[in-house]
Amino acid sequence: MSDPRPTSAFHTANVDLAATERLTAALDVQAANPGVRRLRAWAHERLAARPGERALDVGCGTGSETRVLANAVAPDGSATGVEPHPGLRAVAERRAAEAGSPARFLDGDALALPLPDAGVDVVWCERVLQHLDDPARAVAEIARVLCPGGRVALLDTDWATFVLHPADPEIRPALSTAVRAAAATPDAGRRLTGWLAGAGLSVDELGSDVLLHDPRTVSRPIVQGIAAAARAKDLITEEQRDRLLAGLDEAAGRGAFHLSVTMFAAVAHRPR
Ligand SMILES: C[S@@+](CC[C@H](N)C(=O)[O-])C[C@H]1O[C@@H](n2cnc3c(N)ncnc32)[C@H](O)[C@@H]1O
């Protein structure tokens, strides 16, 4: 039986304060991924936030990119992170204070941003749309708060590009289904430009990078999570799960393990 409710811990329906530490650790691991770092650097360069501008980070998590934006708009600009998860927002506030960053953080939802029309120069929204049931509405909200000429960078994963090796061909579709079920909108990556155009924004550039996961550090919990999700949804048997995990461990031991997914970034502006 498949459960239609997104299983992602980042979906607002699943807010769990006790999970803050685990979510923070997951975001820190992702932030250290070379593919994430490259795509972030690319998108920040294209977005080109300047001193004096008003920047917004939608669904800012631990606030790492809000702080980057705050540096870029300093000394007289402003950078605001909107984050509905109280635990993550507290982490963002603490880290900004520790770093001496003027970034500030607001409670709020991407679907109804707590900001007036046309009051923001640059918007960053990374790996949030995949967790929303109505991402097009969130992009329309971003378009609403952007001033004419304002710029936006959307970054998101496309979970249909997920590759895990080795895995028996007979269970690959089940693993794919389990991975996609973990996000409300798992194909967000390929839809970024369409959402931007649909919100009346003009797309300037599309970039991408592949997130390769290192078996020695992060892959084991990810793989266990996927195998557990596939098993919980009755997509694979216990025996198939155990064989998958044993095969992946064995492959990791001889350097033959592979886990990757593609992430996209689209940069656009609001026409004047
Ligand atoms: C995968 S995390 C990404 C965090 C951060 N943007 C980053 O890239 O590190 C997804 C974030 O989206 C937030 N989120 C989920 N639903 C949201 C909503 N409806 N409005 C705004 N943010 C939301 C989560 O709380 C979480 O911080």
Side-chain angles (χ1 to χ4, degrees):
M1 280 286 292
S2 78
D3 175 358
R5 197 176 72 124
T7 52
S8 163
F10 289 112
H11 192 279
T12 41
N14 297 337
V15 165
D16 172 5
L17 272 183
T20 300
E21 218 168 290
R22 187 171 47 78
L23 297 179
T24 301
L27 290 177
D28 288 348
V29 165
Q30 289 162 10
N33 183 288
V36 171
R37 293 165 64 120
R38 282 192 301 265
L39 197 60
R40 281 179 168 176
W42 181 89
H44 276 298
E45 194 186 310
R46 299 304 190 282
L47 192 63
R50 295 185 290 267
E53 288 192 316
R54 299 153 299 178
L56 169 67
D57 184 2
V58 179
C60 65
T62 62
S64 61
E65 302 321 288
T66 326
R67 296 195 300 276
V68 173
L69 291 167
N71 280 342
V73 301
D76 48 352
S78 67
T80 305
V82 168
E83 173 54 55
H85 191 293
L88 289 175
R89 202 168 58 249
V91 170
E93 278 161 355
R94 195 185 67 235
R95 289 186 174 181
E98 284 166 1
S101 168
R104 64 179 194 130
F105 300 92
L106 296 178
D107 184 11
D109 195 303
L111 300 175
L113 290 170
L115 295 164
D117 294 356
V120 170
D121 299 296
V122 286
V123 175
W124 184 273
C125 182
E126 177 181 345
R127 288 174 299 154
V128 175
L129 299 173
Q130 63 180 283
H131 299 294
L132 306 183
D133 299 315
D134 190 358
R137 200 171 126 206
V139 181
E141 269 295 273
I142 288 172
R144 177 184 69 75
V145 301
L146 266 185
C147 65
R151 293 101 62 209
V152 51
L154 303 181
L155 292 81
D156 234 303
T157 320
D158 196 311
W159 288 105
T161 64
F162 174 83
V163 176
L164 178 63
H165 174 84
D168 281 348
E170 64 185 29
I171 68 161
R172 282 184 208 158
L175 296 177
S176 235
T177 301
V179 167
R180 281 185 275 113
T185 306
D187 56 356
R190 76 187 65 176
R191 300 174 65 183
L192 298 177
T193 55
W195 288 326
L196 289 162
L201 300 172
S202 183
V203 178
D204 298 309
E205 229 172 325
L206 180 64
S208 71
D209 215 310
V210 175
L211 278 53
L212 287 163
H213 290 269
D214 185 333
R216 288 162 306 178
T217 52
V218 293
S219 299
R220 182 73 178 152
I222 293 177
V223 164
Q224 276 173 337
I226 294 163
R231 178 66 205 116
K233 289 178 182 297
D234 221 2
L235 297 168
I236 58 174
T237 65
E238 272 179 34
E239 192 206 334
Q240 285 173 322
R241 178 200 58 200
D242 295 345
R243 208 170 45 229
L244 170 73
L245 292 174
L248 290 167
D249 270 350
E250 186 274 328
R254 59 186 165 85
F257 173 97
H258 177 99
L259 194 162
S260 65
V261 68
T262 304
M263 190 161 137
F264 294 90
V267 180
H269 69 275
R270 179 173 163 185
R272 287 181 193 278

